[in-house]
């Protein structure tokens, strides 16, 4: 799997990571599913796992699944609350889950950004946070995200990127590149909506692509300003195919344009 510099953070990241929204919010009876999906990703070379207190039980199920592999995991999570005190309590819980350190700590959806960044910067100085970032899933918030990017307080961003959601191309990705920020691409399948009507396999093969998930992940990662894409899945076969998409050759402009058309955009 290809490995890229995560902006100027000093981290190097395999280009396929693993999202956990919805899929890993499960009870003890489904911990096996989480363990298997995580194991398949790690076997293929994945290291970044992205979660959040917003995702219910996912932070806990991830902690169990990566247990003996914590040292090789680049653990990304988020702080998601209006309250600074509650945010610090979320962080303390994460330290217990993840062996006393969070590798990538993000302000989720720009909620209480200033209040959280103040204490997160202190935690970075103390070594309990590796890299600080901010996320948002809606283009309407990108002006605000730009201001936070320019503030010098964050080193990475997490934004949506797929053929149906390309707004980051206008200003966010150029700015991230200019500032040397790491970029995680969320929603590479538009939360699964792009997977509902996959195109004919023969057409994909003619383009040198092995499957529709391969096409969409390669579409995303063919932009070198994206450092890691984080698809989420609850299925072993999907985990296998997603993790296998992390090697070039990447798509040229013509194939990328065709994949965009096949996605209906
Ligand atoms: N504001 C934020 O910070 C924010 C917002 C959104 C997302 N995120 C992060 O980004 C991650 C990814 O985004 P997402 O979960 O919204 O959407 P996504 O990764 O675009 O899509 C996930 C959906 O696609 C399906 N899927 C995955 N692989 C597949 C395959 N090979 N073939 C067919 N279907 C497949 C999954 O269903 P199966 O389980 O059936 O495979 C799941 O329903 C999240 O999990 C989260 O970590 C962050």
């Amino acid at each position: 799997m290809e490995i890229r510099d995560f902006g100027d953070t000093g981290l190097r990241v395999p280009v396929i990571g693993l999202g956990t929204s919805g899929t890993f919010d499960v009870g003890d009876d489904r911990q096996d599913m989480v363990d298997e999906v995580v194991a398949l990703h790690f076997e293929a070379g994945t290291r970044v796992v992205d979660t959040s207190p917003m995702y219910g039980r996912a932070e806990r199920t991830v902690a169990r699944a990566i247990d003996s592999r914590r040292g090789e995991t680049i653990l990304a999570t988020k702080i998601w609350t209006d309250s600074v005190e509650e945010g610090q309590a979320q962080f303390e819980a994460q330290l217990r889950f993840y062996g006393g350190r969070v590798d990538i700590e993000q302000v989720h959806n720009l909620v209480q950004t200033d209040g959280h960044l103040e204490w997160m910067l202190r935690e970075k100085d103390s070594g309990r946070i590796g890299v600080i970032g901010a996320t948002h899933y809606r283009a309407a918030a990108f002006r605000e995200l730009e201001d936070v990017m320019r503030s010098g307080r964050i080193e990475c961003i997490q934004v949506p990127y797929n053929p149906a959601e390309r707004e980051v191309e206008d200003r966010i990705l150029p700015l991230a590149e200019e500032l040397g920020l790491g970029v995680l691409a969320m929603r590479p399948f538009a939360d699964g909506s792009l997977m509902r009507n996959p195109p004919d396999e023969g057409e994909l093969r003619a383009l040198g692509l092995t499957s529709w998930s391969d096409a969409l992940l390669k579409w995303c990662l063919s932009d070198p300003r994206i450092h890691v894409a984080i698809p989420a899945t609850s299925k072993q076969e999907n985990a296998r195919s997603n993790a296998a998409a992390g090697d070039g050759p990447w798509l040229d402009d013509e194939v990328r344009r065709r994949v965009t058309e096949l996605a209906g955009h």
Side-chain angles (χ1 to χ4, degrees):
M1 183 176 306
E2 184 170 306
I3 294 177
R4 293 185 182 169
D5 287 331
F6 191 53
D8 295 340
T9 62
L11 277 183
R12 285 177 55 74
V13 289
V15 292
I16 300 289
L18 179 60
T20 65
S21 170
T23 47
F24 285 5
D25 177 17
V26 294
D28 290 351
D29 57 328
R30 301 207 62 213
Q31 181 68 44
D32 283 357
M33 174 276 289
V34 179
D35 293 349
E36 280 154 13
V37 167
V38 168
L40 284 166
H41 266 266
F42 271 76
E43 274 161 36
T46 296
R47 293 290 172 267
V48 177
V49 183
D50 177 77
T51 186
S52 170
M54 189 201 268
Y55 308 157
R57 294 159 288 185
E59 283 192 310
R60 180 185 302 277
T61 57
V62 164
R64 290 178 182 153
I66 64 171
D67 183 31
S68 62
R69 313 186 86 143
R70 177 65 187 95
E72 45 183 313
T73 306
I74 300 174
L75 194 285
T77 189
K78 311 187 187 86
I79 300 297
W80 180 61
T81 167
D82 255 339
S83 148
V84 167
E85 291 70 31
E86 174 59 20
Q88 288 172 313
Q90 290 179 356
F91 180 59
E92 290 299 329
Q94 292 165 353
L95 294 175
R96 289 192 291 278
F97 282 140
Y98 305 123
R101 181 181 153 91
V102 171
D103 304 305
I104 301 176
E105 185 70 274
Q106 305 154 101
V107 179
H108 199 150
N109 288 349
L110 300 176
V111 176
Q112 181 59 272
T113 308
D114 289 337
H116 292 317
L117 286 180
E118 200 180 316
W119 64 261
M120 283 163 67
L121 283 160
R122 286 197 301 273
E123 293 295 352
K124 182 176 160 63
D125 284 343
S126 79
R128 299 205 295 180
I129 289 178
V131 171
I132 296 176
T135 80
H136 213 293
Y137 70 107
R138 286 179 55 226
F142 287 172
R143 284 284 174 171
E144 187 185 345
L145 181 61
E146 267 184 56
D147 290 341
V148 180
M149 291 164 73
R150 287 185 201 282
S151 75
R153 293 174 297 172
I154 64 169
E155 298 170 271
C156 73
I157 55 169
Q158 183 180 150
V159 286
Y161 196 44
N162 62 65
E165 296 175 288
R166 304 183 65 166
E167 294 88 347
V168 289
E169 288 174 353
D170 294 341
R171 298 167 64 100
I172 296 292
L173 293 181
L175 182 60
E177 187 177 37
E178 179 192 323
L179 297 171
L181 304 187
V183 180
L184 298 114
M186 63 166 86
R187 297 170 53 83
F189 305 138
D191 198 16
S193 64
L194 292 175
M195 303 308 293
R196 281 187 204 121
N197 296 303
D200 178 61
E201 281 192 11
E203 164 116 38
L204 294 174
R205 272 198 299 277
L207 294 170
L209 298 161
T210 57
S211 65
W212 187 223
S213 54
D214 184 49
L216 291 171
L217 289 168
K218 285 202 163 72
W219 182 96
C220 177
L221 291 166
S222 293
D223 188 321
R225 298 170 299 185
I226 303 291
H227 304 128
V228 49
I230 49 167
T233 184
S234 56
K235 299 202 171 69
Q236 290 187 40
E237 64 273 24
N238 292 347
R240 253 187 223 103
S241 57
N242 294 348
D247 272 317
W250 305 110
L251 313 188
D252 62 24
D253 289 349
E254 185 52 32
V255 176
R256 225 165 163 251
R257 196 187 52 72
R258 184 65 192 134
V259 170
T260 306
E261 279 174 5
L262 291 170
H265 293 276

